[in-house]
Amino acid sequence: MNIALVVAGAILTVGVLIDWALGKGFDWATSAWLLVLWPHGIRQLLLTRGRPRAAARAEAVGAWTPVAATVLLWTSLILGWRRGEGTDWIVLVAALLLPVAGVFLLGSVLARRRA
């Protein structure tokens, strides 16, 4: 599973960069997903490779990425509204639920540190 997360992240990253370079626009929603995907995929890969300290650093970074991902999702929605586009409901639901998930993720990381 850990290799699959990293491979999926790499494919999505290349896809976003190619679309942006070809002038199709920057995919804000996919970039938000990548901010959440990369730290967790790298963490899992490091754990299977026997690098627990590096995995802990990736987990610490991953605890804060939902905040940045939420900013990207709201940016996507606001830019779409300014252009007169309709609301992408999946992005809106993700923008509303991601902060809740981020709070639980951050809380679990802090609880493990205190234990």
Side-chain angles (χ1 to χ4, degrees):
M1 178 72 173
N2 51 12
I3 297 290
L5 284 175
V6 173
V7 169
I11 291 170
L12 284 172
T13 302
V14 169
V16 166
L17 293 175
I18 288 173
D19 284 348
W20 192 30
L22 293 176
K24 295 181 182 178
F26 187 73
D27 191 350
W28 296 92
T30 304
S31 299
W33 168 241
L34 287 170
L35 279 177
V36 175
L37 178 72
W38 270 116
H40 294 290
I42 290 171
R43 177 183 169 270
Q44 292 296 324
L45 186 62
L46 289 170
L47 282 175
T48 58
R49 302 272 185 209
R51 309 265 323 262
R53 291 185 66 200
R57 286 192 296 273
E59 183 180 21
V61 169
W64 293 98
T65 57
V67 174
T70 302
V71 170
L72 284 178
L73 290 173
W74 279 106
T75 302
S76 170
L77 287 168
I78 291 168
L79 288 175
W81 292 333
R82 289 189 65 196
R83 286 188 219 124
E85 299 171 0
T87 301
D88 186 346
W89 292 102
I90 293 174
V91 174
L92 179 62
V93 169
L96 294 173
L97 293 179
L98 195 58
V100 175
V103 166
F104 284 116
L105 182 63
L106 189 58
S108 70
V109 169
L110 293 175
R112 272 188 270 153
R113 283 188 182 172
R114 289 187 180 145

